Amino acid sequence: MKQDSTKRYEKLRERMGNGDIDRRSFMGLLGAAGLVAGVSGGIMTTLSRQALAAGTELNFEGWGGIVSEALRKHAFDPYEKKTGNKVIDATFGGEEEVLTKLKAAGSIDGHNIIHSSGITWYQRWVQNGYASELNTKNIPNIDNVMEAVLAPFRAITPDHLAAVPYDYGTTGIAYNTKYVSEEEAKKLGADLLLKKDLKGKIGGWSGDWANRAWYGALQSGQNPNNITDWDAVWDKVREHRALILKYWSSGAELMDLLAKEEIYVTEAWSGRVAALQEQGHPIGYLDPENGLAWMETMFVLKGSPMEEAEELLNFMLAPATAIAVAEGQKYPPSLDPTKVDMPDTVKKLPAFDPTGKLDGLVFREPDKWNAVEKEQKKMWNRVMKGA
């Protein structure tokens, strides 16, 4: 009898680990089998107690640096203390890397929640079959999220959400005010990244072909969401490549290059620039006309422990938590400022919109950008290597 019960317990644990059943169902099935009550006694009583004490593990992958530090301190640690569940957070090099791993493995083992880059990636995760279906009744704090950030995701999955929007920001241009004045930055706009006098002191992000193409479109006088001349885009990217010191690959590297004045100008994420400014570095920030805005979600992969994931997302969207994370990572939260009072520390963040409508920000249109990704990403990889 003891051996049969042990095997049953192990199978239930395996099913929970695979995401076939959630933790609540797991405990219910244990109870139905008489295991939680210790009917079988001995090892089963010990194991079921361990299961209760251990909680559920949620694997989270994000952008590292100050973003991960803020999430760990203000969201994950308090959540773990409150629930007994555990968040195992890791840093990725980009979502492409995670998607490749999942396809190669054929499972989501070790992956549950992705700090995902907005609408285009949301569509991509959905099209690849990784979208979960959140029960938003378990996430009541979603009622405080801006409709402006919910609507684009509901347009892709009208019947459900697989993620909750969590923050937003812009990818503008950072410049060292010792070498570039605010007036010059405003005058040049996107062309500041092509300033020949700064050759060898310019940087660029290698991690996203669409980011480079967006700026190539601005510099060639095109609407980034309606590019008609891709050759002109890549010509501008080549022009930029000839001027740069290097392409950086992470937010931490971006901040290090700017802080040490190895580069004076680069495109940059608004929150990272805000962090540098807070540290006292003479870094200015410019969002050029039609500059790139983005919103990030907490995307839950299909097969994850849903109730625990929903509980975590609700905890993260609680105003006190979301505001504390926003102050830490320097990106405004997805909460509607007309519903939730925001402190001055949040109101002063780059890209913060007090109206909650985000009318002044320009986002990638997923249908336009995902449709050309395969071809244009190849071109970016060639241009980056010198073609």
Side-chain angles (χ1 to χ4, degrees):
M1 176 66 184
K2 183 183 292 184
Q3 186 177 17
D4 290 344
S5 297
T6 301
K7 288 182 177 177
R8 184 179 302 170
Y9 172 85
E10 290 173 345
K11 288 182 178 178
L12 288 173
R13 286 279 294 177
E14 183 179 358
R15 290 179 62 192
M16 184 175 72
N18 291 337
D20 296 334
I21 58 173
D22 57 32
R23 183 169 179 266
R24 184 169 297 178
S25 300
F26 167 72
M27 297 310 302
L29 289 168
L30 281 184
L35 303 180
V36 172
V39 172
S40 299
I43 187 172
M44 289 315 307
T45 302
T46 301
L47 290 172
S48 58
R49 285 175 178 167
Q50 287 175 349
L52 281 168
T56 297
E57 292 182 347
L58 292 167
N59 293 280
F60 175 89
E61 286 162 284
W63 297 98
I66 59 170
V67 175
S68 290
E69 290 170 7
L71 289 170
R72 169 49 64 188
K73 179 179 180 181
H74 301 294
F76 300 157
D77 282 347
Y79 169 79
E80 290 178 346
K81 185 177 181 181
K82 178 181 178 182
T83 66
N85 296 329
K86 188 172 181 60
V87 180
I88 302 171
D89 49 331
T91 299
F92 53 39
E95 290 174 80
E96 190 75 43
E97 170 188 305
V98 180
L99 179 58
T100 301
K101 286 181 180 177
L102 295 181
K103 286 183 174 179
S107 78
I108 66 160
D109 289 351
H111 310 270
N112 296 124
I113 303 175
I114 309 293
H115 195 170
S116 181
S117 296
I119 308 167
T120 53
W121 262 101
Y122 186 83
Q123 185 185 64
R124 190 167 298 129
W125 285 116
V126 170
Q127 291 175 339
N128 278 277
Y130 290 104
S132 61
E133 295 190 17
L134 294 175
N135 181 357
T136 54
K137 292 181 180 178
N138 291 333
I139 314 173
N141 285 322
I142 201 171
D143 290 343
N144 285 327
V145 172
M146 291 181 284
E147 183 58 28
V149 296
L150 286 168
F153 300 101
R154 286 179 173 147
I156 296 172
T157 51
D159 299 329
H160 66 275
L161 288 172
V164 296
Y166 198 65
D167 54 73
Y168 65 99
T170 58
T171 301
I173 300 176
Y175 59 94
N176 190 311
T177 57
K178 290 162 62 176
Y179 307 99
V180 178
S181 69
E182 181 179 357
E183 293 75 18
E184 183 179 26
K186 288 182 177 177
K187 180 181 178 181
L188 292 175
D191 285 343
L192 178 57
L193 294 170
L194 303 177
K195 185 175 168 57
K196 291 182 172 56
D197 294 350
L198 296 178
K199 183 176 181 178
K201 289 294 184 181
I202 298 175
W205 182 29
S206 65
D208 184 4
W209 72 273
N211 182 83
R212 285 260 60 78
W214 188 280
Y215 270 94
L218 293 179
Q219 290 157 350
S220 60
Q222 302 187 71
N223 178 347
N225 278 322
N226 188 28
I227 295 173
T228 57
D229 187 347
W230 278 98
D231 288 341
V233 168
W234 295 119
D235 283 346
K236 288 297 180 182
V237 175
R238 291 185 184 92
E239 186 178 337
H240 173 255
R241 186 197 65 205
L243 299 172
I244 66 170
L245 173 68
K246 66 178 300 186
Y247 289 119
W248 46 267
S249 59
S250 68
E253 185 179 15
L254 158 69
M255 293 179 68
D256 189 58
L257 288 169
L258 285 169
K260 293 179 178 176
E261 299 191 6
E262 292 186 49
I263 58 175
Y264 300 158
V265 172
T266 180
E267 78 268 27
W269 302 314
S270 54
R272 301 291 177 147
V273 174
L276 286 167
Q277 292 171 336
E278 187 176 80
Q279 293 168 13
H281 296 286
I283 305 299
Y285 184 71
L286 170 72
D287 275 320
E289 185 177 358
N290 288 326
L292 175 62
W294 39 262
M295 57 186 86
E296 294 182 320
T297 69
M298 297 300 167
F299 189 96
V300 181
L301 295 168
K302 183 180 181 180
S304 297
M306 292 306 295
E307 290 190 10
E308 288 77 8
E310 290 156 0
E311 185 179 33
L312 173 60
L313 298 185
N314 190 58
F315 187 86
M316 295 174 73
L317 287 174
T321 306
I323 290 172
V325 171
E327 290 174 330
Q329 69 169 352
K330 311 299 181 192
Y331 294 114
S334 61
L335 303 183
D336 190 334
T338 67
K339 296 181 180 178
V340 178
D341 288 335
M342 295 291 171
D344 289 341
T345 48
V346 171
K347 293 178 181 176
K348 293 178 180 177
L349 292 174
F352 174 74
D353 181 355
T355 71
K357 297 180 179 178
L358 305 185
D359 289 339
L361 301 179
V362 182
F363 298 91
R364 288 178 195 157
E365 294 181 10
D367 289 340
K368 295 283 184 65
W369 285 87
N370 286 349
V372 300
E373 179 182 17
K374 187 174 182 180
E375 178 182 0
Q376 300 304 334
K377 185 178 177 182
K378 286 182 181 176
M379 179 60 75
W380 158 236
N381 287 331
R382 291 177 57 200
V383 172
M384 182 168 53
K385 294 173 182 175

